[in-house]
Each structure stands twice: as C-alpha cells, then as structure tokens.
Amino acid sequence: MDKLRVVISGVAGVGKSTVLDLVKKGTNYDIINFGTLMFEMAKDIGLVENRDGLRKLSVDTQINLQKKASAAIGKMDSVIIDTHMSIKSHGGYLPGLPEWVIRELKVGAYFVIEADPSLVLSRRATDSTRDRDAATENDIRMDQEINRYYAAAYSVFTGATVNIIENPEGKPNIAANTIISRLRTDD
Ligand code: AMP
Ligand code: MG
C-alpha cells in the first residue's frame, strides 16, 4: 500500500491547525491545505473573496475546484493533505473525497481529528478570522458522526486505514504524537 499521502481532517474549530503545526515539526511530510488550493484557484477567477465563501458556491462549481486542486496534489509526494471528509453546503453534505478525488490522491491513511462538541464551539467563538456558520453542540456532534461515515466509505473504496484521533483541551501534543507515531509505522 502506498503510504506517501495521508489525509488529516476534522470539523472547523477542532484544533486541526494547532495539531498539524506540531505534526509538521515531527515528520518529513509536507502539509498541503486543500482548501487553500481551492481558494487560490477560485480567487484568481473572482469567484470568492475569502475561504469561507467556497462552501457557499454551487455544488458544481465546488466540484470543479475540487477536481483542479486534487489534480495538483496528485503530483506531490510525501504530503499530509489537510482537508475535510465532508463540507456542509447549501445542497447538502458534499463529499470532500469523492471517487475522482480519491483516485487522484492515492491516500494511504485517513486521520479524523475529533473533540468534544462544547470545546469545538468555544474554539470557534474565539477565532474571529473565520466566517463560521452558527451551530449548536448537537450540530457538531452530528457533523462529527457524519464525517466518520464518510471516512469509512473512503476507506472501503481504497483499503486505506482510518484513525480517529481525540484532541483533548489544552493537549494538542497528545493528538500530534499519536499521528506522528502512526506515520512512522507507515513509512
Ligand atoms: P479549511 O480552512 O480547511 O476549513 O478549508 C476551507 C474551505 O475549503 C472549506 O470550508 C471547504 O469549503 C473547502 N474545502 C477544503 N477541502 C475540501 C475538499 N476536499 N472538497 C471540497 N471543498 C474543500
Ligand atoms: Mg484550519
């Protein structure tokens, strides 16, 4: 199994960026943010002004951007892809890794970072740099549950492993170290 590319995901506010900053220090993997690639492509053609505008685009437009971003990432080696199992869009949950994306990316392992919904909400409230949708603890519980279903579906399709990683409050190093040690065994 090709383990050169892995996906790390988690709902907005789960602390993914903090964990990834720590993972970056402990591995040789480059980290590539799928949303940043999509955003740069969308901004270039005047579709959006900020990254939170992406999920408000039509599903067809999001899929086109998704295809372009995955074609670019498909050419890279040893990367951690920072992305989402699903994106809550106006048309419903959009799969972050539909068949045409998975085929391009050749992912060896999926990591799903999770945290208690109350922690996710309080982290969202303190991040003023993003335009988050209003949500309740139940919404976040549901989104995290849905993301597990998507991870299982992608795993069945490719044979790649799924790792559910808890990100406890104030201890992102625990989540990061678990990820680093699993990346090593996959080398
Ligand atoms: P992030 O900063 O990681 O939340 O990513 C910003 C935005 O990029 C997300 O809210 C989505 O709209 C979009 N995005 C990221 N990954 C994907 C993906 N695999 N498929 C579709 N859209 C994505
Ligand atoms: Mg982030």
Side-chain angles (χ1 to χ4, degrees):
M1 170 64 64
D2 180 358
K3 293 281 184 187
L4 288 177
R5 291 194 202 112
V6 302
V7 160
I8 298 192
S9 67
V11 295
V14 80
K16 189 165 46 112
S17 308
T18 310
V19 171
L20 274 175
D21 284 345
L22 296 169
V23 169
K24 196 179 168 89
K25 291 180 188 145
T27 62
N28 295 324
Y29 283 74
D30 290 326
I31 296 175
I32 182 96
N33 186 297
F34 201 105
T36 300
L37 277 184
M38 283 181 60
F39 171 59
E40 280 163 5
M41 290 165 170
K43 198 170 152 231
D44 278 352
I45 49 174
L47 286 177
V48 288
E49 282 164 12
N50 63 57
R51 52 202 295 126
D52 289 302
L54 287 171
R55 65 178 181 274
K56 293 165 189 160
L57 294 169
S58 75
V59 165
D60 283 350
T61 306
Q62 291 182 70
I63 289 174
N64 274 330
L65 292 163
Q66 201 180 39
K67 283 183 178 164
K68 283 191 194 160
S70 57
I73 298 172
K75 298 191 179 81
M76 304 173 187
D77 285 332
S78 294
V79 280
I80 292 172
I81 303 155
D82 173 353
T83 187
H84 295 277
M85 291 296 159
S86 66
I87 296 96
K88 224 178 197 173
S89 307
H90 291 316
Y93 286 100
L94 179 84
L97 301 142
E99 182 269 335
W100 53 85
V101 171
I102 282 188
R103 203 175 281 285
E104 197 79 58
L105 296 186
K106 298 187 192 70
V107 173
Y110 295 97
F111 292 88
V112 183
I113 304 179
E114 295 184 352
D116 191 89
S118 63
L119 292 176
V120 171
L121 273 190
S122 60
R123 287 174 193 154
R124 282 188 194 181
T126 54
D127 179 2
S128 58
T129 66
R130 298 292 297 265
D131 177 17
R132 308 292 196 201
D133 296 326
T136 64
E137 284 188 26
N138 266 341
D139 295 332
I140 292 169
R141 191 168 294 110
M142 169 85 155
D143 290 349
Q144 293 198 129
E145 192 178 326
I146 295 272
N147 284 336
R148 285 187 175 199
Y149 302 154
Y150 277 102
Y154 303 147
S155 167
V156 168
F157 189 76
T158 57
T161 53
V162 174
N163 302 268
I164 308 288
I165 308 285
E166 176 74 13
N167 183 25
E169 179 61 8
K171 296 185 178 121
N173 57 311
I174 296 182
N177 289 340
T178 307
I179 294 171
I180 291 166
S181 66
R182 294 194 191 171
L183 289 177
R184 290 216 177 101
T185 51
D186 286 343
D187 276 347

